[in-house]
Amino acid sequence: SQTIHQWPATLVQPVGSPLSLECTVEGTSNPNLYWYRQAAGRGLQLLFYSVGIGQISSEVPQNLSASRPQDRQFILSSKKLLLSDSGFYLCAWSVLGSYNEQFFGPGTRLTVL
Amino acid sequence: KNQVEQSPQSLIILEGKNCTLQCNYTVSPFSNLRWYKQDTGRGPVSLTIMTFSENTKSNGRYTATLDADTKQSSLHITASQLSDSASYICVVSEGNEKLTFGTGTRLTIIP
């Protein structure tokens, strides 16, 4: 069976510090991978998605970046965090077909102070 | 602009009662509509997925309906339980990698 992991679960960082959030998927090959941000009282916002190693599509301009160094690993990064980067970050995966159903990880709660 | 609107924003009901959550969308083209359940501080979990040709789908005590003509969907929860307390999110897909998410209905079940 497939599982998705996110690390860390919670994170408190000062403004201007770097960020690295990791997402790994087990039990599937060549998944599509996604990074979302969920702000309080708002819907999920797609930040990045990837259909393969090294292939990253960005949905919104921001100071975040994403990388996919391995087939089942997706990393969200920032060189300098802003207060507005606070939120709940969710990683998801899907495979072609099956209505492109997306399966979400447990999330990372990021607080920037 | 593609949008998904959900109502009510929040709902409180007694344990054992039924409830219905609403979703209206303007996403085009339309491929499928999903309902997710999201417990506080957790990732969303899929409850149902419906395509254009499906007008109802059940998953245990959850029953989703879809009217593709009026672009409306509902999620009916029967005999609510305390564990049903969560946010319920309506999501519409164009058939590609991009989904349009509603802001969710926050459901609280009280004993």
Side-chain angles (χ1 to χ4, degrees):
Chain A
S1 63
Q2 301 88 0
T3 56
I4 179 169
H5 305 277
Q6 286 188 242
W7 186 89
T10 60
L11 189 61
V12 180
Q13 291 285 95
V15 170
S17 63
L19 172 74
S20 181
L21 303 182
E22 186 169 341
C23 170
T24 58
V25 181
E26 297 177 357
T28 186
S29 297
N30 303 316
N32 292 337
L33 297 172
Y34 311 82
W35 276 112
Y36 290 90
R37 177 168 57 206
Q38 186 175 35
R42 304 186 65 177
L44 275 73
Q45 179 187 34
L46 178 63
L47 302 175
F48 301 94
Y49 70 92
S50 171
V51 298
I53 296 175
Q55 300 178 62
I56 310 294
S57 296
S58 175
E59 288 298 300
V60 292
Q62 58 210 325
N63 69 322
L64 299 171
S65 63
S67 62
R68 185 170 178 174
Q70 300 180 42
D71 181 46
R72 290 169 288 180
Q73 184 184 29
F74 206 23
I75 298 173
L76 183 68
S77 304
S78 174
K79 293 182 179 179
K80 290 185 177 182
L81 283 169
L82 306 173
L83 288 174
S84 58
D85 291 325
S86 293
F88 191 50
Y89 288 82
L90 288 159
C91 180
W93 68 273
S94 71
V95 292
L96 290 177
S98 300
Y99 310 119
N100 196 32
E101 182 176 5
Q102 294 186 18
F103 301 90
F104 289 85
T108 294
R109 172 72 60 189
L110 172 65
T111 303
V112 182
L113 302 175
Chain B
K1 180 181 177 181
N2 289 339
Q3 286 188 316
V4 175
E5 296 182 350
Q6 292 186 244
S7 61
Q9 190 172 27
S10 62
L11 181 64
I12 302 174
I13 63 171
L14 290 173
E15 184 180 10
K17 298 296 185 181
N18 304 335
C19 67
T20 300
L21 313 180
Q22 301 291 342
C23 173
N24 297 331
Y25 62 92
T26 60
V27 177
S28 181
F30 175 86
S31 174
N32 58 76
L33 183 146
R34 313 125 184 250
W35 283 93
Y36 282 88
K37 177 186 179 186
Q38 185 177 21
D39 293 319
T40 301
R42 307 290 295 275
V45 175
S46 180
L47 295 175
T48 63
I49 296 180
M50 290 181 292
T51 62
F52 183 89
S53 59
E54 298 174 294
N55 55 26
T56 186
K57 184 164 283 188
S58 292
N59 178 0
R61 294 179 296 101
Y62 301 100
T63 299
T65 65
L66 173 64
D67 186 334
D69 291 332
T70 61
K71 298 187 177 182
Q72 296 179 323
S73 177
S74 66
L75 180 69
H76 185 75
I77 303 175
T78 303
S80 61
Q81 300 177 359
L82 296 178
S83 59
D84 293 331
S85 293
S87 289
Y88 291 84
I89 304 172
C90 177
V91 185
V92 180
S93 171
E94 300 173 38
N96 51 26
E97 296 78 15
K98 300 177 185 179
L99 305 177
T100 304
F101 290 80
T103 55
T105 292
R106 178 67 200 174
L107 176 64
T108 302
I109 311 298
I110 56 177

